[in-house]
Amino acid sequence: MTGLHKLTLAETQRKFTAGEVTAHDIVQSYALRINQVEPKVKAYVTQTVSSAIEQADALDEKLKGWRRTMPLMGMPVAIKDNICTEHVLTTCSSRMLGNFTPPYDATVIARLRGQGYLLLGKTNLDEFAMGSSTENSAFGPSRNPWNVSHVPGGSSGGSAAAVAADECVAALGSDTGGSIRQPAALCGVVGLKPTYGRVSRFGLVAFASSLDQIGPITKDVTDAAIMLNVIAGHDPLDATSANLPVPDYTRAFKKKDLKKLKVGVPKEFFAEGLDPEVEQAVQAAIEELKSLGGTIKEISLPTTDYAVAIYYLIATAEASSNLARFDGVKYGLRAKQSKDLLDMYMKTRQEGFGPEVKRRIMLGTYALSAGYYDAYYGKAQAAREMTKKDFDEAFNEVDLIVTPVTPTPAFKLGEKSEDPLQMYLSDIFTISVNLAGLPAISIPCGFSKAGLPIGLQLIGRPFEEETILRAAHAYEQATAWHAKKPNIR
Ligand code: GLN
């Protein structure tokens, strides 16, 4: 059977469970697709296709005469390369970890493995997840499948590009300030950042620990719910993971309209700098939510203007501390020919980290240094509390908040790489969600005239992933954006 790579996870699963296709058929279809388009897309840092085929064969053998029940069984998935996979390279797209093979699985991987998923490979990212375009990868950028001269977004650009180009059935990414939602929007796929604490961070290489969260990037909203069902839940190995029951997220789809749902539109998100084509698509989507029964209400999130400044103090401060462990002693790169221990530390870090990572470490170290701590880090923490309060107040009035995901559609490779501030501003609509620890989803809501995808962001109350999934699903059912595919071969 050919063309299996075009199906969603739910569709593939149905065929597999019905015994219409084998795990081998499924992986084989993705293997061919990867061969065909990967030279243009460059989504993967490491491919594990041949071991996925071996595992698929073993699974097919084992399944003879056995009921297939697990949702991810036999499903070929791609994993962002900052999530640890036992015995498989995990580089964070950094020279520092170019040779690093973890001796253990991240909790999310252990859960996928427990279901019998198949790992197709590890996907490209901005080095240590710092960036918005994958151009900060030490191994070169990934490309946007809708137009390969444009970026796929970042930092989970490899995962988003792989899903958009049908190079995997679904993927995992990580989101510290928008890294799941922004690339999902720019590649025309679905990206879900769960509530902080909903999904275990154990085995995710830390960037900014109080903001990082793992989540799915998928072909549609149903698939996002299926993936979240598997990865969500308490983990004793992550002290910040929440000990709360996990609902069956696919049940959120039982309600097919938005009746009784109050939808907030924050006026600060529709200001200067928002591309008119993006604005138009998002306004049309808001109208659609209204015709589905939602009540639309203008709200205000006054601290929106400060989000980028708050984020770049907190994220860099935490990054400078988290990245101190890469010193050439314990794992990863070690510089050769150093005079003494200090020289070895310095040479290793000089050779191992790229320019953006060094910039962040310097910014963060400065913000944390004695004498500046209160003025920068302390102030940012206080302002972060105000951001949370903004959202708390908004959620007294509305059940979910709708905004654009990005100010513009995908930009060209090289267009912003010389100007870090411009690059930082591409996350202006996603960052405050991380500061407040909220769940948010990005779904396709249109295209620019040039044929590049545009995303819609739905933000929910803490641990109310069901509400945003339900609204996203209702919107998806009423529109056809998600069914469009890039014309890449
Ligand atoms: N682009 C943002 C940054 O560079 C967010 C990255 C992320 O979410 N990992 O920090």
Side-chain angles (χ1 to χ4, degrees), residues 129-132 155 175-179 207 311-312 360 427:
M130 297 173 187
S132 309
S155 63
D175 193 312
T176 305
S179 278
F207 164 10
Y311 172 85
Y312 277 95
R360 306 263 180 133
D427 298 312

Side-chain angles (χ1 to χ4, degrees), residues 164-454:
D166 286 327
E167 290 187 74
C168 61
V169 76
L172 288 185
S174 69
D175 193 312
T176 305
S179 278
I180 289 174
R181 291 159 287 155
Q182 186 258 23
L186 301 190
C187 290
V189 294
V190 172
L192 173 66
K193 177 210 132 16
T195 310
Y196 185 76
R198 179 77 292 187
V199 175
S200 169
R201 291 183 295 113
F202 178 76
L204 168 68
V205 179
F207 164 10
S209 312
S210 77
L211 302 162
D212 297 342
Q213 192 63 190
I214 296 173
I217 297 179
T218 53
K219 297 182 186 182
D220 70 8
V221 177
T222 304
D223 289 0
I226 296 171
M227 291 290 283
L228 187 60
N229 275 348
V230 180
I231 61 172
H234 181 239
D235 176 13
L237 298 174
D238 171 5
T240 62
S241 91
N243 198 350
L244 293 170
V246 181
D248 175 356
Y249 290 105
T250 59
R251 292 179 68 93
F253 307 147
K254 284 217 161 129
K255 272 202 79 161
K256 304 229 181 305
D257 60 46
L258 303 186
K259 295 218 173 77
K260 296 215 184 94
L261 218 57
K262 288 192 224 95
V263 182
V265 180
K267 58 171 192 262
E268 292 82 1
F269 282 61
F270 294 84
E272 215 191 297
L274 179 60
D275 178 285
E277 288 187 295
V278 175
E279 171 153 24
Q280 219 172 39
V282 172
Q283 292 295 0
I286 294 171
E287 281 307 308
E288 187 63 51
L289 295 176
K290 196 167 152 189
S291 64
L292 285 163
T295 314
I296 311 294
K297 193 171 176 345
E298 187 183 273
I299 57 163
S300 172
L301 296 168
T303 54
T304 302
D305 280 355
Y306 309 115
V308 172
I310 302 169
Y311 172 85
Y312 277 95
L313 283 168
I314 292 178
T316 57
E318 293 184 14
S320 73
S321 157
N322 275 325
L323 270 56
R325 75 191 67 180
F326 302 108
D327 56 6
V329 176
K330 297 180 271 299
Y331 44 82
L333 182 80
R334 175 178 299 177
K336 296 190 181 69
Q337 290 161 344
S338 31
K339 290 198 300 287
D340 52 31
L341 185 62
L342 187 63
D343 191 44
M344 192 276 284
Y345 289 158
M346 294 203 299
K347 281 202 176 117
T348 299
R349 289 169 71 81
Q350 188 182 21
E351 290 170 21
F353 292 137
E356 183 61 24
V357 174
K358 285 178 184 153
R359 175 157 41 235
R360 306 263 180 133
I361 293 173
M362 285 191 285
L363 271 168
T365 308
Y366 183 80
L368 287 176
S369 55
Y372 293 107
Y373 182 96
D374 289 330
Y376 294 112
Y377 189 70
K379 225 356 180 288
Q381 286 291 18
R384 181 179 186 175
E385 286 307 312
M386 284 165 60
T387 306
K388 278 195 191 137
K389 232 178 96 219
D390 267 9
F391 278 106
D392 284 347
E393 281 167 14
F395 282 123
N396 283 332
E397 295 177 51
V398 296
D399 303 305
L400 69 96
I401 295 172
V402 52
T403 76
V405 185
T406 57
T408 63
F411 43 91
K412 282 212 169 87
L413 274 119
E415 194 178 318
K416 298 189 182 184
S417 42
E418 298 307 315
D419 185 349
L421 205 58
Q422 271 308 310
M423 192 70 96
Y424 295 175
L425 286 173
S426 70
D427 298 312
I428 188 152
F429 299 141
T430 47
I431 272 175
S432 44
V433 168
N434 299 72
L435 293 173
L438 304 171
I441 194 167
S442 165
I443 54 173
C445 77
F447 288 84
S448 69
K449 285 195 198 75
L452 292 165
I454 296 172

